[in-house]
Amino acid sequence: MDFELSDEQNMLKDSVERFVKDNYSPEARAKLTETELGFSRDHWKTMAELGWLGLPFSEEVGGFGGTAVETMIMMESMGRGLVLEPFLSTVILGGGLVAEGGSAEQIESIIPEVIEGNLMLAFAYAEKQSRFNLNDVETSASKSGDGYVLNGHKAVVYHGTTANKIIVSARTSGSSKDKEGISLFVVDNDSQGLSRRDYATIDGQRAADIVFENVNVAASALLGEEGAALPVIEKVVERTIGALCAEAVGAMETANEITNEYMKQRKQFGIPIGKFQVLQHRMVDMFMEAEQSKSMSDMVAMKLALDDATERSKAVSAVKAQVGQAAKFVGEQSIQLHGGMGMTDEYSIGHYFKRLTTIEMLFGNTDYHFKRFAILSA
């Protein structure tokens, strides 16, 4: 695919690559994963100063009006360094839900704070029974006076530990798995009745399981129209999948580079193992998977702007299936070519494998998206 960047897009790419090079050596990243926060507040401040946190938002609220293409450029470069800051959770996912579904007042009160780096968001959508089904929601929101009372349990809320506000999907009507009756609420993370279990994830990130027990929220906490949140959720999640796939492309490219360099250094029978033809063939397969994923990622970045929801969804599932398959292949082959020591914390390749494995599972694994693509194409 011939995908030529504009001068402005090349400047953005160079800026993110410099940030990653300066701040995300394997040693620097390892130190961040060991901190209680799991990322750097200073890095977050730098991202705000560079304008990255305002990239996808409209100029009317202080953003830059960027498209999915600019997001792809950023995420691909961030994937090369396995960046830990909650850009995806706060800007693409949480900020996207507010910008897409919120009222003018909500947008004006939340998005500028996100852009300035003063406010972090997280999206609580997954439940123990829901797996990849966005409309399988049992968390309830019952009307009480002028507001609502939330009850339920949300699992694996990425960056739910550090988010100031949690955007929660809850059922205001209907039964579990109904597509109608799902609403979104913006909840303060320190609300009475909200409890969290915080933990580190296998890919070095932070997440939380969150329990809502009679959490009272005002009517103003409702994000968008009551009972009609699913289309907004699906649209924003598709954008998030596009961003995740771009991150995976950057991670795969770097994993290939690390593995290729290792094969030049590691010797067996007195010669570098990269001289063995069978291993050269394997590296070619790994590079081909990454290149195919890159082309698919570029394609979906452009198709996310389509008005046709079905075509947009088909493109998203196609790229997630391809990238998931490629991420698994590249990750596993990288580890095998390094040998068992590749999984130790001292070797950076193991961290790329873990992140690629996580991305394959987020918002639907490879099998799920193959099936979804088939259903949408029928």
Side-chain angles (χ1 to χ4, degrees):
M1 180 182 292
D2 184 13
F3 191 82
E4 189 172 340
L5 301 180
S6 67
D7 290 341
E8 292 80 7
Q9 290 168 340
N10 274 313
M11 288 175 62
L12 173 64
K13 184 174 185 289
D14 292 342
S15 177
V16 183
E17 287 179 347
R18 280 198 303 273
F19 170 84
V20 171
K21 182 179 179 180
D22 292 342
N23 298 289
Y24 268 91
S25 67
E27 297 77 18
R29 184 183 186 275
K31 288 180 180 179
L32 285 179
T33 62
E34 294 169 358
T35 64
E36 183 178 351
L37 192 63
F39 65 90
S40 168
R41 294 275 187 192
D42 290 337
H43 291 352
W44 191 250
K45 182 179 178 181
T46 298
M47 290 180 177
E49 291 171 350
L50 291 170
W52 297 350
L53 304 187
L55 185 71
F57 303 119
S58 68
E59 295 180 6
E60 286 77 8
V61 291
F64 287 88
T67 68
V69 174
E70 283 74 35
T71 299
M72 176 205 70
I73 293 168
M74 279 199 66
M75 292 302 297
E76 194 174 308
S77 296
M78 287 183 177
R80 295 185 69 85
L82 302 180
V83 170
L84 296 164
E85 280 66 43
F87 180 83
L88 194 78
S89 299
T90 292
V91 177
I92 306 302
L93 194 50
L97 289 169
V98 174
E100 190 69 31
S103 65
E105 292 77 14
Q106 288 169 326
I107 293 171
E108 290 171 5
S109 66
I110 293 175
I111 298 303
E113 289 296 298
V114 169
I115 293 172
E116 291 295 321
N118 301 325
L119 183 67
M120 293 183 180
L121 304 172
F123 182 33
Y125 67 94
E127 300 182 7
K128 61 182 180 180
Q129 82 292 338
S130 63
R131 194 158 170 78
F132 306 130
N133 192 346
L134 294 172
N135 57 276
D136 190 344
V137 178
E138 293 184 355
T139 298
S140 65
S142 306
K143 283 190 175 181
S144 176
D146 294 332
Y148 296 84
V149 178
L150 299 180
N151 282 283
H153 180 190
K154 295 293 186 178
V156 199
V157 181
Y158 261 72
H159 297 106
T161 303
T162 50
N164 305 101
K165 294 181 182 293
I166 309 292
I167 300 175
V168 186
S169 61
R171 189 163 290 286
T172 45
S173 64
S175 59
S176 177
K177 298 185 182 179
D178 285 352
K179 293 191 174 183
E180 301 295 329
I182 299 172
S183 303
L184 290 173
F185 295 88
V186 183
V187 182
D188 290 336
N189 206 351
D190 59 357
S191 297
Q192 186 174 357
L194 185 155
S195 59
R196 294 193 326 264
R197 182 176 70 88
D198 304 330
Y199 50 88
T201 56
I202 191 174
D203 56 345
Q205 306 274 347
R206 294 292 189 276
D209 290 348
I210 303 180
V211 176
F212 300 89
E213 188 172 357
N214 296 322
V215 176
N216 289 280
V217 296
S220 59
L222 177 66
L223 194 67
E225 182 183 349
E226 181 181 313
L230 185 60
V232 173
I233 295 171
E234 289 176 333
K235 188 173 184 179
V236 174
V237 165
E238 286 181 346
R239 292 177 191 164
T240 305
I241 290 173
L244 269 175
C245 289
E247 180 188 351
V249 167
M252 280 189 277
E253 289 176 345
T254 304
N256 282 340
E257 291 168 6
I258 293 170
T259 304
N260 191 41
E261 186 61 32
Y262 175 79
M263 289 174 63
K264 293 177 182 178
Q265 304 295 330
R266 176 74 167 89
K267 290 186 177 181
Q268 189 72 35
F269 308 115
I271 60 173
I273 62 174
K275 295 288 186 180
F276 299 132
Q277 191 175 54
V278 67
L279 299 187
Q280 292 175 357
H281 289 171
R282 195 177 299 186
M283 281 301 306
V284 169
D285 290 340
M286 292 164 65
F287 277 104
M288 286 176 62
E289 288 289 349
E291 282 299 308
Q292 289 172 0
S293 297
K294 167 65 174 168
S295 294
M296 292 287 284
S297 178
D298 291 349
M299 175 273 292
V300 84
M302 293 181 284
K303 287 202 170 185
L304 280 169
L306 292 175
D307 292 328
D308 189 325
T310 301
E311 286 300 312
R312 189 175 65 236
S313 297
K314 283 171 60 178
V316 167
S317 279
V319 72
K320 187 61 163 66
Q322 163 60 33
V323 167
Q325 191 170 256
K328 185 174 187 293
F329 180 80
V330 170
E332 290 178 351
Q333 295 300 318
S334 295
I335 292 298
Q336 189 169 29
L337 289 170
H338 275 77
M341 61 187 176
M343 283 302 295
T344 62
D345 287 343
E346 289 75 17
Y347 275 75
S348 61
I349 194 64
H351 300 285
Y352 284 89
F353 169 73
K354 291 171 185 175
R355 182 57 181 164
L356 288 170
T357 299
T358 301
I359 289 174
E360 194 271 337
M361 290 292 295
L362 286 173
F363 299 108
N365 62 12
T366 302
D367 289 344
Y368 172 85
H369 280 284
F370 271 128
K371 292 175 184 176
R372 184 172 183 257
F373 181 83
I375 291 169
L376 291 168
S377 301

